[in-house]
Amino acid sequence: MFKRILITSGPTIEPIDPVRFLSNRSSGRTGCHLAEEARRRGLGPVVFITGPTAHIPARAQVVRVESAQEMRAAVNEHWRRADVIIMAAAVSDYRSVKYYPDKMKKDGERLTLELVKNPDILLELGGRKRRGQVLVGFAAETEDIFANAQKKLLAKNLDLLVLNEISAANPAFGSEENQVYLVRRDGVRRLETMSKALVAARVWDEIIDLAGRAG
Ligand code: C5P
């Protein structure tokens, strides 16, 4: 049905020295379910670009990366041939300006680490999206969630944004279940709390609808 599906998943890790890094709580579950659901439905071959995670789909072309810059290079290699691109990875927003090749010493009581912004891979893709390509992003918001989601949808030129409201009731990161909103240009739909496998199935229903193809 699709020529090629590109999915990014998991966290990225940004090295500081040989033993330390910056990262986040992404488990990689949703990205993995998205790839497995695509295979179950026979939707097309999947290229799965993932940061370090235990959740790796069977029978996908798996590209393992660590940092945001490595993920960007892998995405740049594969995006052109994909007609569906789902960016489920929780890319670290910042990385250390400097990599310390020797393990940093704990000499002082305080330590200042200078960070620099990582490239926004999805924003770059949105800027060069081809006709017929379906581009899907994820967002985790804690305030003004719908306004921010609409802004992100337009700024990143997305067809669909899967919006997580991060709260005590819905931690999303690291948990088995999730409650999300599906944000499209033509409106927002709230899904009930459900397993991440079911969220992945609903996201594919939406993509198939957006692509105007029968499931
Ligand atoms: O702007 P924000 O980080 O909330 O957007 C999240 C979406 O953008 C996710 O789909 C994520 O994969 C993508 N992203 C990215 N590169 C970044 C930051 C986020 O591709 N540096």
Side-chain angles (χ1 to χ4, degrees):
M1 158 180 268
F2 295 110
K3 281 204 295 286
R4 181 156 295 149
I5 297 159
L6 175 59
I7 299 174
T8 67
S9 187
T12 65
I13 65 172
E14 311 296 330
I16 298 168
D17 71 15
V19 298
R20 302 186 179 94
F21 57 78
L22 295 169
S23 192
N24 59 63
R25 295 183 186 278
S26 168
S27 68
R29 277 197 188 90
T30 299
C32 186
H33 285 306
L34 283 162
E36 292 195 322
E37 183 69 12
R39 179 168 61 89
R40 199 168 302 125
R41 295 191 192 185
L43 295 179
V46 174
V47 178
F48 189 79
I49 300 174
T50 182
T53 160
H55 297 275
I56 303 291
R59 275 196 277 154
Q61 181 186 341
V62 177
V63 181
R64 291 173 198 265
V65 298
E66 293 206 332
S67 66
Q69 286 172 302
E70 288 171 16
M71 183 168 279
R72 179 205 214 181
V75 167
N76 285 347
E77 203 180 310
H78 292 279
W79 76 279
R80 211 170 269 106
R81 276 163 293 157
D83 39 13
V84 178
I85 303 176
I86 311 176
M87 301 286 284
V91 180
S92 301
D93 291 318
Y94 292 89
R95 67 177 182 275
S96 176
V97 167
K98 223 181 124 185
Y99 174 75
Y100 298 83
D102 295 316
K103 186 180 167 213
M104 288 171 82
K105 294 269 179 280
K106 52 178 188 298
D107 292 337
E109 281 306 309
R110 288 173 181 234
L111 171 71
T112 304
L113 188 65
E114 196 183 352
L115 305 182
V116 60
K117 199 141 193 201
N118 267 326
D120 190 324
I121 305 166
L122 185 52
L123 183 75
E124 291 176 352
L125 280 184
R128 55 182 194 237
K129 184 167 76 168
R130 283 194 289 100
R131 263 216 350 217
Q133 243 172 359
V134 178
L135 190 56
V136 181
F138 278 69
E141 303 283 354
T142 56
E143 53 191 335
D144 291 335
I145 65 167
F146 298 114
N148 283 331
Q150 278 297 344
K151 251 193 260 170
K152 211 160 278 183
L153 188 83
L154 297 177
K156 301 197 182 192
N157 196 18
L158 308 179
D159 301 289
L160 174 67
L161 184 75
V162 183
L163 169 64
N164 294 285
E165 181 178 20
I166 306 295
S167 63
N170 190 56
F173 277 50
S175 106
E176 295 280 352
E177 292 196 317
N178 200 2
Q179 188 267 305
V180 303
Y181 300 86
L182 300 180
V183 182
R184 290 167 50 155
R185 283 164 198 249
D186 55 2
V188 178
R189 214 141 52 80
R190 179 184 191 278
L191 301 187
E192 298 305 314
T193 299
M194 56 182 74
S195 71
K196 288 184 171 176
L198 269 180
V199 170
R202 302 295 292 273
V203 169
W204 272 116
D205 290 342
E206 210 69 19
I207 293 169
I208 288 162
D209 182 50
L210 280 164
R213 298 180 206 185

